[in-house]
Amino acid sequence: MGGTVIGSFGMPAFLMIAFAAAVSILTSPAVGSPIGLPNLRQCELATDNSVVGPPTTIHVNCCLPIPSGDVIDFSFKKYKAPKRVRQAAHKVSADYIAKYTRAYDLMRSLPEDDPRSLSVQSKLHCAFCNGAYKQAGNDSVILQVHFSWLFLPWHRWYLYFHERILGSLIGDPTFSLVFWNWDDQRDGGNVMPAMFLQNGSSLYDEKRNQNNLPPTLVKLVPGITGNNTEIINQNLNAVYQDLVTASNAELFMGGAYRTGVDIANSTVLDAPLGGSIENGIHNAMHFWTGDPTLPLFQDMGTFTTASRDPIFYAHHSNVDRLWDKWLYDLPGRRRRNHKDPDFLDAEFYFYDETGSLVRVNVRDALKSEKLGYSYPEVAADDLWVNYSPPPITSGSAVAAARASGVPDIGPSPQNGTISLGTVLTAIVKTPDANKKHKEEEVLVVQGLQVTRDTFVAVIVFVNLPSANSTTSTASAEYVGTFNIIADPGKTLMSNVKFEIGDNLRRIGIQNEPEVVISLAVKGTQPITIQGLTIRYS
């Protein structure tokens, strides 16, 4: 197996100045079980493996510079800023695009070892996604900011400081990032924004899927087909299922991740899970944007390089906007963030606009307005908020499925290991079908395990025994998609959860004691599970 090294491993001389002042802070172990601050002095080369072409292990220097001076503790008083409103990328003026371009010109022109440079900014994402650092308090376990409840707050802080740096470089504290609202299926947001497409611009990245340039519509479920109207309906249902029906924090934001939990080597009993926003439409857009002809699907198609593309920050700005939308502006009961102290007290490092290292925590990131920014109302949101996926089946499919040999599958561990193949269809019991519950029914795919050698997606349907990876996802029978970004050689094991109560009611099978579940696989990577169960959340 070949090897490639990207970047140099040496530490610039200026970073050693006054290094001792920060050592005691940077090496102190975490106390308790919240994810704590890594030891920045103990960094390993991050690794990635080719997805396309000959097998190649790629070693990437994502080690972060250690600035001189003390670490700053974030406070709202220290980091006051004028209120700013992030605008949709396809609607900003030519003048604003020029300002935005100028900001990235300056960021790209900084020395590569400057913490404010795009080089170091992109390393922040790679460092905490590809194994460069170990967890504080458990130095045998890598630190990972995906696949759990850390995903949304970590990326919010990342955008916050990235935005402040860009504004500082052009001397404009009111500067704000744009958001690429790919969920907009009416007013032009569902194509790659023109402001990022001018060859030679600092906003341009040549490593994007050239088949997905405008006027090609985004696909929020990988591989969906049909004319533009059919794609739009499938996109609307994807957002509806990932946001509107995901009514609690675990389903939407992701599950608990504490010190000592190794996401790469977890068991079915303790595996955290990513939330619907991450596993579904977020991952789908990374896959859709990255270049499938390149070894890593780079830039956007892999954690290692995704944030080298300026469109990454616009993509994640929309993810951040949708977090606010989920919290404050969806029908039904009020959504709430996690309240667990291990979530609220998790800590991260970022660089501010002076290049100083800042210590932040999750609890300070939970209200965007406190951080000084907001998003405008987006009229096109109404299309997915109020989307009403139509059922294409009538009555329960259980009897016909059982007659055709579809097996009953229950919760782990009674099943052993089950291979999904290209599609697995099973009959699954529902809980207390004749009793009234305030909670929603949740399908749990237990112990899903895959080696992430290529991109793969598991598309879930209910009451549709004939479903496969090419089945339209515009109907009430579509439950959701678990998109797995390629990271060759690394194993993911997780309990994947989907709220299905809304689907059952729309189809009219909410009182049935059993339902048919189909797991269709998009891709060739072998996937196994340990069980299927439906419970109340």
Side-chain angles (χ1 to χ4, degrees):
M1 183 174 289
T4 303
V5 177
I6 301 176
S8 60
F9 199 71
M11 183 180 292
F14 88 91
L15 295 176
M16 299 300 295
I17 300 173
F19 175 78
V23 165
S24 62
I25 296 174
L26 297 174
T27 61
S28 57
V31 177
S33 55
I35 294 296
L37 300 166
N39 183 345
L40 296 189
R41 297 177 62 207
Q42 295 179 0
C43 180
E44 300 176 4
L45 287 174
T47 60
D48 210 339
N49 293 278
S50 59
V51 177
V52 178
T56 304
T57 298
I58 298 171
H59 303 285
V60 189
N61 174 17
C62 295
C63 297
L64 301 174
I66 303 174
S68 60
D70 294 332
V71 174
I72 299 172
D73 285 317
F74 175 86
S75 73
F76 294 106
K77 184 176 180 180
K78 288 178 184 175
Y79 286 90
K80 285 183 177 179
K83 299 293 182 182
R84 53 206 185 278
V85 179
R86 293 178 180 171
Q87 300 292 335
H90 66 287
K91 291 188 174 182
V92 292
S93 67
D95 286 346
Y96 198 81
I97 293 172
K99 178 194 292 188
Y100 211 88
T101 303
R102 175 62 176 158
Y104 273 98
D105 281 338
L106 293 171
M107 179 175 273
R108 286 184 182 275
S109 69
L110 292 171
E112 288 194 357
D113 52 16
D114 189 316
R116 303 167 301 158
S117 68
L118 187 60
S119 173
V120 173
Q121 288 290 295
S122 67
K123 286 182 179 181
L124 276 163
H125 193 258
C126 170
F128 301 124
C129 306
N130 284 72
Y133 293 100
K134 299 297 197 299
Q135 292 179 4
N138 194 321
D139 60 9
S140 64
V141 180
I142 66 168
L143 179 56
Q144 171 62 261
V145 296
H146 293 82
F147 316 126
S148 77
W149 63 15
L150 294 188
F151 169 73
L152 286 171
W154 187 91
H155 285 83
R156 174 168 284 181
W157 277 123
Y158 188 21
L159 298 183
Y160 172 80
F161 285 107
H162 189 79
E163 183 175 67
R164 290 184 68 102
I165 291 168
L166 289 167
S168 174
L169 290 172
I170 59 172
D172 181 1
T174 68
F175 175 87
S176 61
L177 292 170
V178 296
F179 63 93
W180 174 13
N181 62 323
W182 27 257
D183 57 299
D184 165 17
Q185 302 301 309
R186 184 183 64 199
D187 299 329
N190 58 347
V191 297
M192 208 175 288
M195 66 181 287
F196 292 97
L197 299 178
Q198 184 178 347
N199 197 336
S201 161
S202 60
L203 307 182
Y204 180 74
D205 189 321
E206 64 181 5
K207 297 173 183 177
R208 297 181 188 142
N209 191 330
Q210 298 302 297
N211 293 323
N212 288 342
L213 301 179
T216 303
L217 301 185
V218 302
K219 294 182 176 180
L220 298 182
V221 177
I224 56 176
T225 59
N227 59 36
N228 281 358
T229 298
E230 292 167 331
I231 290 172
I232 285 170
N233 282 329
Q234 291 178 86
N235 284 342
L236 290 172
N237 200 23
V239 188
Y240 176 81
Q241 299 296 339
D242 286 354
L243 270 80
V244 181
T245 72
S247 60
N248 66 44
E250 183 183 41
L251 291 171
F252 177 71
M253 303 178 70
Y257 177 43
R258 313 176 200 274
T259 300
V261 172
D262 186 349
I263 288 176
N265 296 289
S266 54
T267 70
V268 68
L269 298 178
D270 65 13
L273 69 148
S276 59
I277 183 71
E278 177 185 3
N279 295 338
I281 50 182
H282 159 265
N283 282 359
M285 284 306 301
H286 274 282
F287 174 72
W288 186 84
T289 309
D291 187 344
T293 69
L294 295 177
L296 303 175
F297 270 61
Q298 64 259 48
D299 278 330
M300 279 280 283
T302 183
F303 291 146
T304 311
T305 61
S307 52
R308 297 178 183 180
D309 187 343
I311 210 170
F312 169 95
Y313 305 93
H315 165 51
H316 271 275
S317 189
N318 196 47
V319 172
D320 185 76
R321 181 185 75 88
L322 294 176
W323 180 12
D324 273 1
K325 186 79 177 180
W326 180 82
L327 275 172
Y328 305 120
D329 198 21
L330 291 183
R333 67 177 184 264
R334 168 75 184 273
R335 271 74 166 169
R336 299 185 186 279
N337 292 317
H338 289 282
K339 296 181 179 179
D340 191 312
D342 286 349
F343 170 70
L344 299 173
D345 294 337
E347 294 183 316
F348 316 121
Y349 282 134
F350 288 98
Y351 300 105
D352 70 10
E353 60 271 25
T354 70
S356 299
L357 198 63
V358 185
R359 174 169 41 209
V360 301
N361 60 43
V362 165
R363 70 175 66 246
D364 286 340
L366 299 183
K367 293 186 177 180
S368 56
E369 65 270 21
K370 289 190 70 174
L371 293 171
Y373 70 90
S374 61
Y375 298 96
E377 292 291 326
V378 177
D381 285 352
D382 289 345
L383 292 182
W384 58 259
V385 169
N386 300 309
Y387 188 71
S388 184
I392 57 175
T393 58
S394 177
S396 172
V398 169
R402 182 168 280 127
S404 67
V406 171
D408 292 75
I409 292 180
S412 171
Q414 69 187 45
N415 314 283
T417 299
I418 306 165
S419 174
L420 296 191
T422 58
V423 62
L424 172 72
T425 299
I427 297 169
V428 182
K429 290 182 179 179
T430 60
D432 301 323
N434 294 318
K435 296 182 180 180
K436 292 183 179 179
H437 287 263
K438 292 182 179 179
E439 299 87 359
E440 292 286 356
E441 295 97 329
V442 173
L443 169 68
V444 185
V445 182
Q446 295 178 306
L448 183 147
Q449 185 166 353
V450 60
T451 301
R452 297 160 54 199
D453 287 345
T454 60
F455 178 88
V456 64
V458 179
I459 308 171
V460 182
F461 297 91
V462 62
N463 208 51
L464 202 61
S466 61
N468 57 49
S469 63
T470 65
T471 299
S472 171
T473 58
S475 72
E477 285 76 10
Y478 169 71
V479 174
T481 301
F482 182 51
N483 294 301
I484 304 162
I485 298 294
D487 196 356
K490 296 182 181 177
T491 298
L492 174 68
M493 187 171 189
S494 183
N495 294 323
V496 184
K497 300 184 180 182
F498 300 91
E499 192 165 300
I500 64 168
D502 181 80
N503 305 81
L504 300 180
R505 286 192 299 274
R506 289 181 182 276
I507 300 167
I509 57 173
Q510 67 271 29
N511 294 319
E512 295 292 332
E514 300 170 313
V515 295
V516 175
I517 298 294
S518 296
L519 308 178
V521 177
K522 189 76 176 180
T524 59
Q525 201 62 27
I527 301 176
T528 61
I529 64 170
Q530 295 184 5
L532 293 170
T533 185
I534 297 173
R535 59 181 66 150
Y536 288 102
S537 62

